[in-house]
Amino acid sequence: MDEEPKRSVITESADAVVVIWHLLPGQRIRPHIHPNGQDTWIVMSGSGDYSPCAGEMTTPISCGQVVVAHAGQVHGVLNNTSEPLQILSVVSPANAGYFLA
């Protein structure tokens, strides 16, 4: 699927950016890093395959799980199921940066 997942910003301040990601089946959040901050994910619904580092094996994640990518850690996810995947993401600080891995 070529379509990008829906990204809805809930709130943004100097301290953090809070976003809800809505991934349809087949969609992914491409592997990326935040060089100057942490990205904390809470899986709100659904499941998918989390990529903790570039080139490493994926880890299944599902509703209720919390995943933390520390500063500079590559992370991404693929919704490889037939159901939507929703993730609450908190990037702190807001100016943590973003680069595709």
Side-chain angles (χ1 to χ4, degrees):
M1 174 174 279
D2 293 334
E3 185 179 329
E4 291 292 318
K6 183 177 179 183
R7 179 180 181 271
S8 301
V9 177
I10 305 303
T11 187
E12 186 171 359
S13 70
D15 298 320
V17 178
V18 179
V19 172
I20 292 278
W21 287 94
H22 183 83
L23 292 85
L24 298 174
Q27 290 184 324
R28 72 174 57 238
I29 297 174
R30 293 173 55 194
H32 63 281
I33 64 168
H34 304 280
N36 303 310
Q38 177 174 295
D39 193 355
T40 302
W41 289 1
I42 302 167
V43 182
M44 306 300 290
S45 66
S47 60
D49 278 341
Y50 178 77
S51 301
C53 293
E56 286 191 16
M57 296 288 293
T58 60
T59 302
I61 59 172
S62 60
C63 185
Q65 284 188 281
V66 176
V67 181
V68 178
H70 299 283
Q73 183 180 4
V74 176
H75 57 290
V77 68
L78 168 65
N79 180 354
N80 60 347
T81 73
S82 61
E83 300 295 324
L85 169 61
Q86 286 191 323
I87 297 172
L88 176 72
S89 168
V90 180
V91 176
S92 180
N95 64 352
Y98 171 90
F99 296 99
L100 289 175

